[in-house]
Amino acid sequence: MKRGLLVAAGIAAFLVALVAMVPASQVASRLPPGASLSGVGGTVWSGHARTLAIEGKPLGALDWSCSPWRLLALRWSCDVTLIPAGGQVNGRLDGDFGGGLV
């Protein structure tokens, strides 16, 4: 029984590490129509974009940092910062893998 739990924990840790290595540019190419990122760097867990644009209108730079611990509850949570000219907007996005925001 204990060995099975250790194997499951090891597989889960491997999958989290594998996802953590995915470049942010992979996510940037899968944004909804009308949204685009340029100058993307980092990973899906912690990254940045020089410009976030919606419908071709640049909104500013974007930084994000996601919490891997929320994955244990099959949810995701990311702190995001939008940096338009002359300001800064901070927020947190939480969601599930069914496509919903919580």
Side-chain angles (χ1 to χ4, degrees):
M1 177 76 170
K2 285 186 179 184
R3 182 181 170 127
L5 288 175
L6 288 175
V7 170
I11 291 171
F14 173 75
L15 292 175
V16 167
L18 185 65
V19 170
M21 300 300 210
V22 173
S25 59
Q26 293 297 315
V27 175
S29 65
R30 291 173 172 78
L31 291 176
S36 65
L37 295 174
S38 64
V40 179
T43 67
V44 295
W45 292 107
S46 179
H48 60 274
R50 186 176 5 113
T51 306
L52 166 65
I54 305 293
E55 299 295 329
K57 296 178 184 177
L59 299 179
L62 183 68
D63 293 322
W64 65 88
S65 178
C66 299
S67 172
W69 301 112
R70 296 285 292 160
L71 293 176
L72 295 174
L74 298 177
R75 297 189 181 274
W76 55 267
S77 178
C78 298
D79 293 320
V80 295
T81 302
L82 179 64
I83 309 166
Q88 180 172 316
V89 179
N90 298 311
R92 173 171 281 170
L93 296 174
D94 295 308
D96 58 32
F97 291 100
L101 291 176
V102 179

